Amino acid sequence: VPKKSKVYYQQQTEKDQFYRSCDMLKHSIMKGSAGSGKTELAIKYAHDHNMAIFKMSCSSDMRMADLIGSKTFDESGNIKFESGMLTKALLTANEYENGSIILLDEINTLSDKVQKNVNGIADGTGFIDLPNGRLKINQGSKFIVVGTMNQSYSGTNPLNPEFKDRFTMIKMPKMSNATKHKIYSNFNISENLEKNLIILCDRLDTLSKNNTIANDVVFSTRSQISFLEILEDMEIDNTPNAIQRALDMTLVNKYDDPDHEEIVKNLIEEIF
C-alpha cells in the first residue's frame, strides 16, 4: 500500500475517467507518451483508496510463468510453488478488504499468447490457472488490472481484440504548458529558463516526428524534473555551464547515433 503519492495535475478528464473506471472495478489501460503520468496516476489511486499495488514491467519475452509463478525447490530440496506478481496480487485481493491492483507497465509488449492467457483474469470469470489448480477472485473482492502503454515504440505488439475488449482505454494527453509551469514552479528557475525548456520540448517533438532524430529518446516530464534537480545541485556548487552539463546527462547522452546527438547539442546551444 503506497504510503505517499505525487501530485497529479489533470490535463483534461483522464484522471476522472481512470478513477471512475477503478471505482467500478473495471480493468483499464492508460496509453500515452513516456512521462505522461500513467504509473503515478495508478499509484495515486492506490494511495487514495488504501489499496495494495503490485507493479511489474512487461517485455516481449515474458512468459505466463513470469506472471503467475512456477514450481521451484526450497532449501531442503522439496518442490514448492513460487508465486508470481499476478498471483500475489490476486491472493492479496482475496484477503485484504481494500483490494489490490496489478500494474502491468508496457502491457503492449506482451506476446499474443500471454495476452490470451491473461484473458481469464480480466473478464467476468476472474481466474488464473496455476500449475497446481485454479485460483479465482472471491465474490466481493476488489481486484483491478491496470496496464500502461507507450505509443509508437519499438518492441511492442498489437493488443489482440479479445484482450483489448476486456479493458477501458484511458488516453493520456500531452503535457500542456500550463501543467509544465506548475511542475517547474517546484524549482527555483527563471522565466527565461522555463520558456527555453518549453521551446526545447516543442522542437525535440518536431524533430522526432520528422524522423530527424530517434524517437526512442524522450525528454519526458520525468527527464525534465531530473534535469532541474541536477541543475539545482550544480548551481549550488557553482558548476560552469551547468545548464548544458545537466542537459547532457538527462538528454544528449541518451542518443546512440552520434549525428542525432550532434543535432540535439546544436539545438541546445541555439536555444540556451
Side-chain angles (χ1 to χ4, degrees):
V1 179
K3 294 182 179 178
K4 60 182 180 179
S5 64
K6 295 181 181 179
V7 175
Y8 181 83
Y9 300 105
Q10 179 160 242
Q11 303 276 330
Q12 297 172 7
T13 60
E14 73 283 356
K15 180 184 175 184
D16 295 338
Q17 291 175 4
F18 179 68
Y19 269 48
R20 182 180 294 276
S21 178
C22 291
D23 287 347
M24 297 175 68
L25 300 181
K26 302 287 186 184
H27 308 301
S28 61
I29 294 174
M30 290 181 279
K31 63 176 184 178
S33 58
S36 57
K38 301 182 293 294
T39 300
E40 290 302 331
L41 187 53
I43 292 172
K44 183 162 184 57
Y45 182 88
H47 171 265
D48 291 350
H49 294 79
N50 206 30
M51 293 183 79
I53 186 166
F54 296 78
K55 181 175 178 290
M56 191 166 190
S57 296
C58 301
S59 63
S60 57
D61 59 355
M62 182 178 282
R63 302 167 302 145
M64 196 59 192
D66 297 320
L67 282 169
I68 65 171
S70 58
K71 290 181 178 179
T72 185
F73 294 96
D74 62 18
E75 295 177 356
S76 303
N78 299 314
I79 296 175
K80 68 171 185 175
F81 178 72
E82 186 72 34
S83 295
M85 201 70 77
L86 179 58
T87 304
K88 290 177 182 178
L90 184 49
L91 288 168
T92 301
N94 283 342
E95 296 292 331
Y96 177 51
E97 62 178 352
N98 292 325
S100 71
I101 294 172
I102 175 74
L103 175 60
L104 301 175
D105 261 340
E106 300 185 43
I107 196 170
N108 56 326
T109 62
L110 292 177
S111 67
D112 186 67
K113 182 178 179 181
V114 174
Q115 289 180 36
K116 288 178 179 176
N117 285 332
V118 175
N119 282 349
I121 198 66
D123 63 19
T125 55
F127 70 88
I128 48 175
D129 285 318
L130 304 178
N132 54 349
R134 178 168 285 184
L135 176 62
K136 292 196 68 173
I137 303 172
N138 291 343
Q139 182 117 18
S141 294
K142 299 175 182 177
F143 178 72
I144 307 169
V145 181
V146 175
T148 71
M149 55 186 279
N150 297 323
Q151 296 170 286
S152 305
Y153 273 35
S154 58
T156 60
N157 297 305
L159 298 180
N160 70 59
E162 296 83 7
F163 188 69
K164 189 187 292 187
D165 190 52
R166 287 161 167 78
F167 293 85
T168 63
M169 197 69 71
I170 314 295
K171 189 172 182 179
M172 304 294 285
K174 183 182 175 182
M175 197 72 69
S176 69
N177 290 344
T179 300
K180 287 179 183 177
H181 175 71
K182 292 177 183 177
I183 294 169
Y184 296 161
S185 65
N186 294 315
F187 300 88
N188 184 28
I189 68 171
S190 65
E191 285 185 25
N192 190 54
L193 178 55
E194 179 176 326
K195 180 189 75 174
N196 288 340
L197 269 178
I198 290 172
I199 291 172
L200 175 62
C201 292
D202 290 341
R203 294 280 296 276
L204 288 169
D205 192 42
T206 300
L207 289 171
S208 178
K209 285 179 179 176
N210 293 338
N211 295 317
T212 306
I213 57 175
N215 62 10
D216 60 347
V217 178
V218 182
F219 196 42
S220 65
T221 308
R222 189 184 302 116
S223 295
Q224 292 171 56
I225 290 172
S226 180
F227 158 71
L228 291 169
E229 289 171 341
I230 292 170
L231 176 62
E232 206 170 60
D233 191 62
M234 285 183 170
E235 287 180 335
I236 291 171
D237 292 338
N238 294 314
T239 304
N241 302 317
I243 291 176
Q244 281 74 15
R245 291 190 181 190
L247 284 171
D248 281 347
M249 294 171 64
T250 55
L251 174 64
V252 177
N253 296 341
K254 293 181 180 180
Y255 288 93
D256 296 324
D257 190 314
D259 292 335
H260 295 179
E261 184 178 332
E262 193 64 28
I263 289 170
V264 175
K265 271 188 176 180
N266 292 336
L267 177 62
I268 289 169
E269 288 177 12
E270 175 191 333
I271 295 172
F272 293 91

